[in-house]
């Protein structure tokens, strides 16, 4: 039972971690606390619906279209709403992201209707049986893809030119400008990556359930995940996501579904009171 | 007659007030014009205003939006056929977002601001419960609720009439049918339900129905925004039920069904009416969906006889709702609009709220239409649609299939 | 005068007004290729405003700036940097979260031929560029005498070392001119000596031109080829150190009287 809960929690937590990672990338780049991350995830589920069901694209092509559309969406959001507010205090930018999430939600409901849409992707649906433990292949695929994405993401940051420029810009806008870096373009890139990560999470959650704007609530579990992990920290976002997934499973499994929220948000409160920079954050930089 | 006297009295009183206001106000002529154009019960020379509330953009929009569309489509058909006694039915739809305050505002509006003869919908059971005193005071009849809260029908309220299958009957028919067809003596049942008021209520009815057969029922709660149903299905494995009852929203029921399949829990299941939509069946897939049923007092178009469904299908296509014709909620809205049209017709040439209540409360009956079971209101019982049937889905033909006639399942209801 | 023969920077009639206040009033001068040009003047003379106008932080109200034959008036700061003009501040502009080598590499990557996308997926051209940049970073660290610090984080280093790292990043940018904003501020005497040596070495080795704002007169007199003096936003003198030092207008501007002013410059004589 315990192993089962841990593994399921790990699989789900990997998806949360992926979405949280996208959140952390955007936060690191522009210090934007992006409340639209949940709805960006929902966009992923609907993009998958459009690509596979409406356009009838073969799955590999659909994946490319979904990722390209996500990147474009992130870039457009950054260009239209975030760039003009650059240098403004935190609050107006937060309000913008909240407004954005409401607008995107309404647009989705206008474009697709309020009925949830079933996804018909070629993701596996069977079961993997390991002794007593049963894992859904879909959850397992989600976890593996999440880990691959995180790996690719780390390699990108660690070993590529664009990754270095992104790290540098996140570190100090001023120094980046003085070094001749086009900071706006780098930030647009951060939004593109953040959106892609959210959208991938959304495709999986949409497949596990339905494409529905209600998924936004699950996407917003990225918030406790990043706060617990440390806002500034990339590994923190992933660990935070996995923790949230595991806590969710253990709390609903051993106590009750309602207990889930208590056990997710109490660590968040404790973290904010005792260690506001999170598990992995930097004490000086990472205060919420 | 009473209506006329009332109207004259109201107009005279209004004139007195307007006259007093004349010395202060320059807007006399316009208020006077208004006074004669606005009968308080929403009945005009050429039209009757009827209110509908539902969640069209909030958390329950997935099911209530099609319901409102079904209601409107049916009224389009009524109007195209010439309306009722020469009057068109003008549906005033308010989006109440599954929210009690919005529901209250809409109801007040329907009472006086844009008065209506009556209203339908009110699909939020806690809002309904909270509004009962207000309904008793403002007296706009609520004919055909989307969900029927206990407080609305117990004790019987002359102003409120159910328009949806009740949770109690869902539990009775589901339990009765499965116990019978699986030949179970003392059935072991598990009920997976949302941890909200209606879920707990449904679980209570399950307890009752199962206990009557000497069986046992285990309650397994789930959250509305769950991402996974592993803990619930592990609890199912533990309980080893003969069959499972599911209360929830589309996403939670999907999670439960998929997780059941994942853990090889291959027992029959039935869900509450709201979950009988094609999209749930399509998402869950044939392997997990073939043993999944729902109980309903409405018949989706594809499971109904072609004659019974012809009008609905034609009108849905015409109104651009072709995709909704097999949605149980669209059918439910359609049926309730039919009920409303019938009640208005019976209320005579000059219908009033009072007359409408008289007609409905005094023993009102609609025969089974092929799209729903028979609807009965008596002065002691306003639940309306009490007989349900289990319905399944045929993946090969992509059509719903029923397991008999409503009459076959009447035995389980009491 | 070498500066006018072969200018790398030409400032022409630069004017900057903030509301009613004129911070720069028709300032024109040139800086010679490979030379150290100093901008001096009392506090509030407009030195920092001048730097901000040249580097694109401010948009001048009137006038032109041309650099290496290109009109850069109105360029955004990152474009000025890409044109080959690098600026360092009194505050260090380093990336505290990146190690010393990565700090240098950021400087190199802005002028690569491969774009961001190619850089992200590591195409062959991007890979070649990356290897070249890493070689160059090693060479510059060697030149600065700090090859062993490649993996260190800037925050762990003393101020003087950090300044060197910043210089290294600027050199990686292939800067043709470096703008130094009070490079000696807050430095001890030995640190200043090291800094002067660094400026000389860089200039010698890489042929970079410098434009310097600095208050330490002895240092200025020591390293400059050419001095521009501002007072109340106007240029009041322009020439080699020996000549500027003797200019009565300069001396008066500095301390309000010729005698006091002479004392200021005494140390540099």
């Amino acid at each position: 039972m315990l192993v089962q809960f841990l593994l399921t929690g790990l699989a789900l937590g990997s998806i949360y971690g992926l979405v949280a990672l996208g959140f952390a990338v955007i936060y690191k780049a522009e210090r934007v606390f992006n409340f639209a991350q949940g709805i960006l995830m929902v966009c992923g589920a609907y993009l998958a619906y459009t690509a596979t069901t409406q356009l009838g694209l073969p799955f590999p092509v659909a994946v490319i279209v979904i990722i390209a559309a996500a990147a474009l969406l992130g870039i457009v959001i950054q260009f239209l709403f975030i760039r003009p507010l650059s240098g403004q205090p935190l609050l107006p930018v937060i309000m913008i992201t909240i407004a954005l999430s409401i607008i995107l939600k309404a647009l989705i409901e206008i474009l697709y209707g309020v009925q949830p849409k079933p996804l018909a992707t070629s993701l596996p649906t069977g079961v993997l049986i390991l002794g007593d433990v049963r894992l859904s292949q879909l959850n397992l695929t989600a976890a593996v893809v999440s880990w691959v994405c995180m790996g690719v993401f780390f390699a990108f940051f660690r070993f590529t030119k664009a990754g270095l420029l992104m790290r540098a810009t996140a570190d100090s806008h001023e120094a980046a400008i003085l070094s001749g870096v086009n900071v706006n373009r780098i930030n647009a890139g951060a939004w593109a990556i953040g959106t892609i990560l959210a959208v991938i999470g959304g495709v999986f959650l949409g497949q596990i359930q339905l494409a529905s704007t209600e998924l936004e609530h699950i996407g917003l579990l990225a918030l406790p995940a990043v706060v617990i992990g440390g806002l500034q920290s990339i590994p923190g976002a992933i660990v935070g996501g996995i923790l949230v997934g595991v806590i969710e499973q253990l709390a609903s499994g051993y106590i009750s579904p309602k207990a889930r929220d208590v056990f997710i948000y109490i660590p968040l409160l404790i973290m904010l009171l005792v260690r506001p920079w999170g598990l992995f954050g930097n004490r000086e930089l990472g205060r919420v | 007659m009473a209506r006329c006297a009332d109207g004259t009295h109201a107009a005279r009183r209004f004139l007195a007030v307007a006259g007093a206001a004349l010395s202060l106000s320059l807007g006399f002529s316009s208020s006077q014009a208004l006074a004669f154009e606005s009968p308080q019960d929403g009945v005009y020379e050429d039209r009757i205003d009827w209110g509908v509330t539902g969640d069209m953009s909030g958390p329950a929009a997935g099911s209530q939006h099609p319901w409102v569309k079904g209601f409107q489509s049916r009224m389009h058909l009524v109007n195209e056929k010439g309306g009722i006694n020469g009057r068109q039915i003008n549906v005033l739809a308010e989006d109440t977002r599954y929210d009690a305050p919005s529901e209250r505002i809409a109801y007040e509006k329907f009472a006086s601001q844009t008065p209506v003869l009556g209203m339908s919908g009110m699909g939020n059971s806690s809002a309904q419960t909270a509004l009962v005193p207000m309904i008793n005071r403002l007296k706009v009849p609520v004919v055909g609720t989307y969900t029927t809260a206990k407080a609305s029908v117990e004790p019987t309220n002359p102003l409120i009439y159910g328009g949806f299958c009740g949770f109690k009957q869902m539990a009775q028919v589901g339990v009765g049918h499965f116990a019978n067809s699986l030949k179970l003596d003392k059935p072991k049942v598990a009920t997976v339900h949302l941890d909200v008021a209606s879920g707990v209520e449904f679980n209570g009815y399950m307890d009752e129905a199962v206990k009557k057969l000497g069986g046992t029922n285990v309650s397994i709660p789930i959250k509305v925004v769950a991402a996974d149903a592993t803990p619930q299905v592990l609890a199912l494995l533990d309980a080893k039920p003969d069959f499972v009852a599911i209360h929830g929203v589309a996403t939670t029921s999907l999670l439960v069904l998929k997780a059941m399949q994942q853990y090889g829990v291959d027992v029959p299941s039935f869900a509450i009416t709201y979950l009988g939509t094609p999209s749930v069946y399509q998402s869950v897939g044939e392997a997990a969906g073939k043993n999944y049923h729902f109980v309903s007092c409405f018949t989706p178009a594809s499971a109904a006889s072609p004659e019974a469904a012809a009008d609905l299908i034609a009108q849905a296509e015409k109104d651009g709702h072709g995709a909704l014709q097999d949605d149980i909620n669209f059918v439910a809205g359609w049926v309730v609009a039919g009920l409303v049209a019938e009640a208005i017709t019976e209320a005579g040439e000059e219908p009033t709220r009072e007359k409408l209540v008289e007609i409905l409360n005094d023993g009102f009956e609609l025969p089974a239409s092929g799209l729903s079971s028979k609807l009965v209101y008596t002065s002691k019982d306003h639940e309306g649609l009490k007989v349900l049937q289990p319905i399944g889905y045929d993946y090969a033909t992509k059509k719903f299939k029923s397991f008999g006639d409503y009459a076959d399942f009447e035995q389980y209801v009491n | 005068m070498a500066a006018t023969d072969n200018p790398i920077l030409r400032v022409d009639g630069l004017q900057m007004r903030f509301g009613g206040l004129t911070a720069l009033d028709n300032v024109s001068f040139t800086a010679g290729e490979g030379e150290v040009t100093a901008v001096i003047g009392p506090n509030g003379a407009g030195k920092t405003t001048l730097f901000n106008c040249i580097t694109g932080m401010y948009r001048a109200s009137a006038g032109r700036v041309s650099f290496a034959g290109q009109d850069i008036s109105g360029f955004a700061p990152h474009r000025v940097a890409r044109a080959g003009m690098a600026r360092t501040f009194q505050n260090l502009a380093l990336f505290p979260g990146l190690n010393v080598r990565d700090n240098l590499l950021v400087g190199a990557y802005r002028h690569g031929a491969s774009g961001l996308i190619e850089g992200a997926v590591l195409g062959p051209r991007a890979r070649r560029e990356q290897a070249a940049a890493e070689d160059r970073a090693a060479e510059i660290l060697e030149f600065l005498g700090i090859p062993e610090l490649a993996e260190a984080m800037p925050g762990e280093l003393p101020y003087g070392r950090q300044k060197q790292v910043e210089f290294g990043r600027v050199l990686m940018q292939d800067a043709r001119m470096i703008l130094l904003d009070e490079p000696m501020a807050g430095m001890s005497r030995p640190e200043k000596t090291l800094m002067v040596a660094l400026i000389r070495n860089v200039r010698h080795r890489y042929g970079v031109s410098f434009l310097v704002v600095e208050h330490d007169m002895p240092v200025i007199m020591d390293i400059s080829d050419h001095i521009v003096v501002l007072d109340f936003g106007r240029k009041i003198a322009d020439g080699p150190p020996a000549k500027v030092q003797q200019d009565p207008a300069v001396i008066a501007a500095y301390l309000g009287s010729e005698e006091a002013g002479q004392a200021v410059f005494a140390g540099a004589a």
Side-chain angles (χ1 to χ4, degrees):
Chain A
M1 199 92 142
L2 179 66
V3 180
Q4 180 70 57
F5 285 142
L6 287 178
L7 285 177
T8 311
L10 190 71
L12 276 177
S14 303
I15 305 181
Y16 301 158
L18 197 65
V19 179
L21 182 60
F23 181 94
V25 169
I26 290 172
Y27 184 80
K28 261 179 96 75
E30 297 211 84
R31 301 293 181 273
V32 171
F33 203 88
N34 182 22
F35 277 100
Q37 192 74 4
I39 201 74
L40 289 178
M41 198 199 79
V42 174
C43 289
Y46 280 95
L47 282 173
Y49 177 73
T50 296
T52 55
T53 305
Q54 291 182 323
L55 301 177
L57 301 174
F59 191 58
V61 181
V63 169
I64 294 169
V65 168
I66 291 166
I67 289 178
L72 187 69
L73 179 65
I75 290 167
V76 167
I77 289 173
Q78 199 271 344
F79 182 80
L80 289 182
F81 304 109
I82 308 300
R83 191 176 298 185
L85 281 189
S86 136
Q88 295 264 0
L90 202 56
L91 197 59
V93 187
I94 286 182
M95 296 309 291
I96 282 259
T97 66
I98 292 175
L100 196 64
S101 72
I102 293 169
I103 290 169
L104 281 174
K105 184 173 176 191
L107 282 179
I108 288 173
E109 285 175 352
I110 290 166
L111 284 174
Y112 294 92
V114 287
Q115 298 278 90
K117 303 283 183 208
L119 292 189
T121 63
S122 23
L123 292 167
T125 50
V127 186
L128 189 76
I129 303 173
L130 303 164
D132 291 348
V133 178
R134 287 161 167 271
L135 281 177
S136 120
Q137 286 179 7
L138 185 58
N139 280 5
L140 205 63
T141 313
V144 170
V145 169
S146 298
W147 285 98
V148 168
C149 285
M150 292 173 200
V152 166
F153 181 79
F154 271 112
F156 163 78
F157 258 43
R158 186 55 54 195
F159 301 117
T160 71
K161 160 181 155 178
L164 176 64
L165 292 184
M166 229 169 241
R167 275 189 291 149
T169 307
D171 223 22
S172 163
H173 266 204
E174 199 180 41
I177 291 173
L178 289 172
S179 306
V181 176
N182 187 341
V183 169
N184 280 332
R185 197 181 298 174
I186 296 291
N187 286 340
W191 272 86
I193 291 176
T195 310
I196 289 173
L197 294 174
V199 157
I200 294 173
V203 173
F204 280 111
L205 278 176
Q207 182 69 46
I208 292 173
Q209 308 194 349
L210 282 167
S212 139
T213 49
E214 292 300 300
L215 290 179
E216 185 186 7
H217 299 291
I218 297 171
L220 286 176
L221 283 177
L223 298 183
V226 286
V227 172
I228 292 171
L231 267 177
Q232 297 272 350
S233 165
I234 297 295
I238 295 165
V239 173
I242 290 171
L243 270 180
V244 167
V246 170
I247 291 172
E248 177 178 23
Q249 284 295 311
L250 294 178
S252 353
Y254 286 114
I255 307 172
S256 85
K258 275 257 196 287
R260 180 191 90 164
D261 291 346
V262 177
F263 284 91
I264 289 173
Y265 285 90
I266 280 186
L268 176 129
L269 289 180
I270 293 174
M271 198 58 81
L272 286 176
L273 291 171
V274 177
R275 202 181 151 87
W277 52 92
L279 283 178
F280 290 79
N282 180 309
R283 180 189 271 265
E284 281 127 57
L285 297 172
R287 282 186 182 268
V288 176
Chain B
M1 285 323 260
R3 157 92 182 92
C4 276
D6 260 12
T8 318
H9 178 69
R12 201 180 294 143
R13 200 169 56 189
F14 185 90
L15 276 180
V17 175
L22 178 63
S23 55
L24 301 168
S25 160
L26 294 172
F28 174 69
S29 58
S30 66
S31 5
Q32 195 188 36
L34 262 176
F36 293 113
E37 256 183 28
S38 183
Q40 65 171 13
D41 287 1
V43 179
Y44 302 80
E45 210 164 289
D46 58 343
R47 72 168 208 272
I48 294 171
D49 282 352
W50 188 269
V52 165
T53 64
D55 180 2
M56 287 180 253
S57 59
S63 50
Q64 298 198 14
H65 191 254
W67 186 88
V68 174
K69 292 294 159 200
F71 190 99
Q72 287 171 326
S73 268
R74 178 66 175 267
M75 283 306 180
H76 289 163
L77 183 66
V78 167
N79 287 339
E80 276 167 28
K81 288 186 173 165
I84 298 173
N85 290 324
R87 292 190 179 94
Q88 296 280 297
I89 305 301
N90 181 35
V91 177
L92 306 176
E94 293 278 340
D95 178 6
T96 44
R97 307 200 70 139
Y98 208 64
D99 168 50
S102 309
E103 199 69 63
R104 180 202 156 115
I105 291 167
Y107 190 83
E108 282 183 323
K109 221 174 180 177
F110 288 153
S112 50
Q113 199 180 330
T114 49
V116 296
L117 182 58
M119 66 159 288
S120 312
M122 208 177 265
N124 176 330
S125 55
S126 16
Q128 238 179 60
T129 309
L131 289 188
V132 168
M134 185 166 180
I135 295 171
N136 291 338
R137 185 159 47 83
L138 297 179
K139 297 203 181 339
V140 180
V142 182
V143 183
T145 51
Y146 176 76
T147 180
T148 312
K150 225 173 178 172
S152 304
V153 287
E154 292 176 22
T156 309
N157 186 324
L159 288 160
I160 305 176
Y161 298 85
F164 210 90
C165 336
F167 280 128
K168 186 166 155 192
Q169 290 80 15
M170 291 183 207
Q172 288 174 343
V173 170
V175 170
H177 169 70
F178 278 106
N180 198 6
S181 64
L182 298 171
K183 304 194 179 8
L184 301 170
D185 190 15
K186 292 181 162 63
K188 279 170 73 182
V189 185
T191 304
V192 181
H193 61 89
L194 292 183
D195 54 357
V196 299
S198 71
V200 174
E201 193 181 306
F202 176 69
N203 184 60
Y205 290 131
M206 283 297 296
D207 273 343
E208 267 174 43
V210 174
K211 210 167 280 167
K212 202 170 277 175
L213 299 178
T216 51
N217 175 47
V218 182
S219 149
I220 303 176
I222 186 169
K223 263 182 81 77
V224 182
V225 287
D228 175 71
T230 302
Q232 283 74 25
V233 174
L234 290 180
L236 274 182
L237 278 174
D238 216 31
K240 296 194 181 54
D242 298 316
F243 59 90
V244 179
I246 300 175
H247 167 281
V249 291
T251 50
T252 55
S253 64
L254 266 177
L255 287 172
V256 171
L257 290 170
K258 284 184 178 175
M260 278 170 65
Q261 184 199 12
Q262 173 184 340
Y263 290 94
V265 184
D266 192 19
V267 295
S269 59
F270 76 91
I272 55 173
T273 311
Y274 308 90
L275 297 173
T277 64
S279 76
V280 168
Y281 277 97
Q282 280 154 21
S283 303
V284 77
E286 182 164 10
K290 64 180 187 312
N291 224 350
Y292 166 67
H293 313 79
F294 64 99
V295 284
S296 174
C297 54
F298 303 106
T299 317
S302 66
S305 71
E307 313 84 68
D311 276 351
L312 179 143
I313 292 172
Q315 192 66 33
E317 295 290 350
K318 201 167 174 183
D319 290 346
H321 304 316
L324 291 178
Q325 56 179 297
D326 232 7
D327 188 310
I328 198 81
N329 296 296
F330 187 83
V331 179
W334 176 273
V335 168
V336 167
L339 152 70
V340 167
E342 182 58 32
I344 296 176
T345 308
E346 287 187 23
E349 291 282 323
E350 293 301 326
T352 62
R353 289 171 185 169
E354 209 171 300
K355 246 187 239 170
L356 197 64
V357 166
E358 216 178 278
I359 291 290
L360 289 164
N361 198 31
D362 209 23
F364 182 90
E365 199 172 318
L366 275 182
S369 65
L371 290 174
S372 74
S373 63
K374 128 182 114 168
L375 177 144
V376 182
Y377 296 136
T378 66
S379 57
K380 289 196 180 63
D381 184 346
H382 288 177
E383 282 181 68
L385 298 150
K386 300 188 72 162
V387 182
L388 289 76
Q389 63 171 337
I391 295 173
Y393 190 73
D394 182 347
Y395 280 87
T397 57
K398 292 192 171 159
K399 283 182 174 169
F400 286 104
K401 52 171 196 244
S402 53
F403 293 85
D405 288 333
Y406 284 106
D408 301 337
F409 301 94
E410 218 168 328
Q411 49 172 317
Y412 302 125
V413 181
N414 48 49
Chain C
M1 231 187 282
T4 40
D5 297 343
N6 186 19
I8 184 160
L9 175 72
R10 180 184 294 278
V11 174
D12 209 359
L14 209 57
Q15 202 149 47
M16 185 71 210
R17 276 188 295 270
F18 299 106
L21 182 82
T22 303
L24 288 179
D25 187 5
N26 199 22
V27 172
S28 303
F29 68 92
T30 58
E33 171 101 62
E35 294 193 341
V36 176
T37 305
V39 178
I40 64 169
N43 284 330
K47 304 183 295 285
T48 300
T49 308
L50 175 67
F51 265 33
N52 284 340
C53 286
I54 293 176
T55 53
M57 301 270 181
Y58 293 164
R59 189 175 284 258
S61 317
R64 312 220 65 80
V65 179
S66 26
F67 176 68
Q70 184 184 13
D71 187 348
I72 61 164
S73 324
F75 272 30
H78 73 269
R79 289 186 65 204
V80 174
R82 285 172 182 216
M85 185 180 303
R87 179 177 187 182
T88 72
F89 282 91
Q90 188 177 341
N91 309 334
L92 290 158
L94 286 173
F95 304 103
L98 306 186
N99 67 24
V100 167
R101 180 190 294 114
D102 283 347
N103 262 281
L104 263 61
L105 286 175
V106 173
Y109 284 161
R110 53 101 202 165
H111 56 76
S114 64
L116 261 190
I117 306 275
E118 202 184 337
V121 297
L122 276 184
R125 188 163 55 162
R127 219 178 298 200
R128 266 198 311 280
E129 275 173 20
Q130 217 164 309
E134 276 166 26
D135 288 347
R136 188 161 156 73
E139 179 201 317
I140 286 176
L141 287 175
E142 193 77 41
F143 163 73
L144 294 171
I146 49 172
E148 73 284 359
L149 296 184
E151 304 290 334
M153 301 307 276
E156 302 163 356
L157 304 175
Y159 180 75
R161 284 277 184 243
Q162 292 192 34
K163 202 75 199 167
Q164 281 182 313
V165 175
E166 196 185 19
F167 248 85
R169 197 202 73 224
V170 166
L171 290 175
M172 287 292 284
Q173 282 172 245
D174 276 344
R176 296 186 59 187
M177 174 170 244
I178 299 176
L179 274 64
L180 298 175
D181 203 337
E182 304 201 21
M184 312 294 171
M187 280 190 175
S188 63
R189 185 51 62 187
E191 279 177 331
K192 284 184 184 175
T193 312
L194 276 174
M195 190 71 194
V196 169
L198 181 61
I199 293 173
R200 287 217 166 99
N201 280 339
V202 168
R203 178 188 173 195
H204 186 245
R205 170 82 174 258
Y206 295 98
V208 176
S209 320
F210 285 91
L211 188 66
V212 187
V213 164
E214 181 51 59
H215 285 295
D216 190 322
M217 281 312 154
V219 168
I220 285 293
M221 294 302 151
D222 188 16
I223 59 169
S224 309
D225 300 300
H226 172 206
I227 297 180
V228 175
V229 189
L230 297 182
D231 190 22
F232 292 112
R234 277 174 298 111
K235 184 175 90 171
I236 56 169
D238 185 353
K243 190 180 143 210
V244 166
Q245 202 172 344
Q246 304 302 325
D247 194 319
V250 175
I251 293 166
Y254 256 83
L255 278 179
S257 79
E258 218 168 298
E259 295 73 32
Q262 258 158 2
V264 172
F265 293 100

